[in-house]
């Protein structure tokens, strides 16, 4: 069965021109690109995307970072997509990150961590709909 997930290349990785290498890593690990777009979050749309983190101590910094520049959004598929992409991305916490993960290569901090990957099938469905769905809530 083919599963779906949502992947973001965040503003710091876009600014440092890591888009091509990050997409190569994802493709080399069996993911199929279903859709892609450049988005420029404004602070309201970044707040909607990360609504589950509202009230946490890092929320304001996260929203401010996500609306600081362009983001590349990718709709990806492969078997067990959510788990496999999160393994490839690596932990948000720099102390827990494994070598060879995308964040070990390109993260610059716990917030400026280069990429985002959906954390469950439910989150993937929500995030794909927000960015690529008919409603295009964050277009
Ligand atoms: P992401 O995978 O996009 O999901 C939530 C984001 O919040 C995370 O990556 C980081 O960019 C940011 N963040 C900042 N501080 C923390 C933290 N302490 N724990 C988790 N995420 C954090």
């Amino acid at each position: 069965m083919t599963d779906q997930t949502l992947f973001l290349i965040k503003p710091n990785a876009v600014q440092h021109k890591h888009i091509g290498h990050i997409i190569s890593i994802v493709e080399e690990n069996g993911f199929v690109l279903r859709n892609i777009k450049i988005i420029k979050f404004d602070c309201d749309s970044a707040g909607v995307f990360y609504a589950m983190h509202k009230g946490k101590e890092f929320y304001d910094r996260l929203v401010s970072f996500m609306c600081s520049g362009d983001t590349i959004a990718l709709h990806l598929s492969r078997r067990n997509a959510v788990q496999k992409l999160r393994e490839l991305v690596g932990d948000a916490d720099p102390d827990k990150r494994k070598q060879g993960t995308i964040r070990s290569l390109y993260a610059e901090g716990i917030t400026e961590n280069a990429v985002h990957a959906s954390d469950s099938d439910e989150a993937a469905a929500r995030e794909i709909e927000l960015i690529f769905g008919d409603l295009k809530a964050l277009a």
Side-chain angles (χ1 to χ4, degrees):
M1 180 184 157
T2 303
D3 304 305
Q4 321 282 316
T5 195
L6 189 282
F7 184 52
L8 299 180
I9 304 176
K10 296 186 180 184
N12 66 310
V14 172
Q15 189 185 357
H16 294 311
K17 304 188 186 301
H18 298 314
I19 300 167
H21 189 217
I22 290 173
I23 293 177
S24 292
I25 294 171
V26 164
E27 287 190 314
E28 286 161 7
N29 280 273
F31 290 88
V32 174
L33 183 55
R34 309 290 293 265
N35 207 343
I36 184 169
K37 75 197 284 193
I38 301 176
I39 52 177
K40 172 73 175 73
F41 281 112
D42 60 29
C43 292
D44 288 343
S45 58
V48 170
F49 188 86
Y50 281 114
M52 70 294 296
H53 296 304
K54 197 167 173 60
K56 295 180 183 170
E57 51 85 19
F58 59 81
Y59 176 79
D60 288 347
R61 181 178 171 135
L62 171 62
V63 167
S64 163
F65 165 57
M66 291 304 293
C67 56
S68 69
D70 288 343
T71 289
I72 310 298
L74 300 93
H75 174 184
L76 301 174
S77 66
R78 66 155 280 170
R79 186 179 176 87
N80 205 7
V82 167
Q83 183 192 331
K84 291 295 183 188
L85 189 62
R86 287 182 70 79
E87 287 171 8
L88 194 59
V89 157
D91 206 282
D93 182 343
D95 295 333
K96 296 181 185 163
R97 239 170 243 155
K98 291 187 182 156
Q99 286 301 309
T101 59
I102 295 171
R103 284 177 174 160
S104 76
L105 293 171
Y106 296 129
E108 297 175 282
I110 195 161
T111 299
E112 299 80 4
N113 61 2
V115 290
H116 163 85
S118 308
D119 66 4
S120 66
D121 289 337
E122 294 71 26
R126 171 185 176 272
E127 293 170 1
I128 291 166
E129 179 61 31
L130 276 174
I131 291 178
F132 294 108
D134 289 341
L135 296 177
K136 294 189 175 58
L138 303 182

